[in-house]
Amino acid sequence: MLHVILMGPQGSGKGTQSERVRARLDLASIATGELFRAAIKGQTDLGQRIQAIYDRGDLVPDELTVALVEERLDELARERAAGSSVRGAVYDGFPRTEGQANALDRILTDRGETITTVVVIDVPRATLLRRLAARRVCANCGRVYNAESDPPRVDGVCDACGGQVVQRADDTPEAVTKRLDLYDDETAPLVERYAERGLLTRIDGNRAIDEVTASIVEAIQARAMATSPSGKVA
Ligand code: AMP
């Protein structure tokens, strides 16, 4: 199975790119931020526990996050056993701490699997701040807009589903600063760890969306070919 980790600071285009890469390579998405947003929206036990943490832009505790990822991997294993053609998983927003990275290594080892590749999307901080300030999302279907460069046709109304287009609770200036600092402190050191293991590819994310997607897909395919015994992308 392919296990592709997509890393990059908030606003680097990780969410957009992971969705495109997932569809292109027939992978399942494991996007912890999305899973947390769904839990908050659905007011599940988990959602109620994490809402305040999420709104502040803080990190959800590792044990809750890791449990969620394990659940998702179990679900994926069941789908594959039932004949699903999905070839693996793309991780978006996970791991974000050393504890989570250790847990992922352990989880994959237990399953006889390994990380296929780690792709980091690089974007300058000034660009991230500009993108995040302008980011809007549909509260209903999650479609992402940019208030300046890609607004909905009708102000505040989603083109796709007619839902309300809003700013994310954690895209306020205070929460954005906190999230970018947390990325630098907690998540960026993981890049070094994966580089030392020879797993890392860096991609320039300050380009057109299609170009970034093409570079990421190419990096994953090159790595998957190199690691697959048959030379085929399995
Ligand atoms: P994202 O959509 O990836 O920017 O994540 C939004 C928020 O969800 C983060 O600011 C955290 O509060 C929480 N979150 C998402 N992924 C993780 C993770 N791997 N570890 C801890 N908290 C997370």
Side-chain angles (χ1 to χ4, degrees), residues 123-133 180 206:
V123 175
R125 185 147 174 151
T127 308
L128 299 174
L129 289 169
R130 223 181 25 248
R131 286 186 186 174
L132 290 167
L180 289 175
N206 207 5

Side-chain angles (χ1 to χ4, degrees), residues 159-200:
D159 294 350
C161 76
Q164 201 185 359
V165 175
V166 297
Q167 190 164 34
R168 257 171 62 166
D170 60 344
D171 274 346
T172 60
E174 302 75 31
V176 161
T177 305
K178 172 164 317 162
R179 288 159 60 216
L180 289 175
D181 287 348
L182 272 172
Y183 182 84
D184 288 345
D185 294 344
E186 301 275 347
T187 310
L190 300 182
V191 172
E192 198 47 45
R193 164 193 182 124
Y194 291 128
E196 277 166 15
R197 284 165 58 180
L199 289 172
L200 200 73

Side-chain angles (χ1 to χ4, degrees), residues 35 39-41 54 84 95 100 105 118 120-121 128 133 141 143 156 161 174 213 220 230:
L35 294 171
I40 290 171
K41 195 172 169 199
Y54 178 98
S84 152
Q100 292 177 15
D105 283 341
V118 179
V120 179
I121 307 177
L128 299 174
C141 73
R143 171 148 176 198
C161 76
E174 302 75 31
T213 309
I220 296 169
S230 64

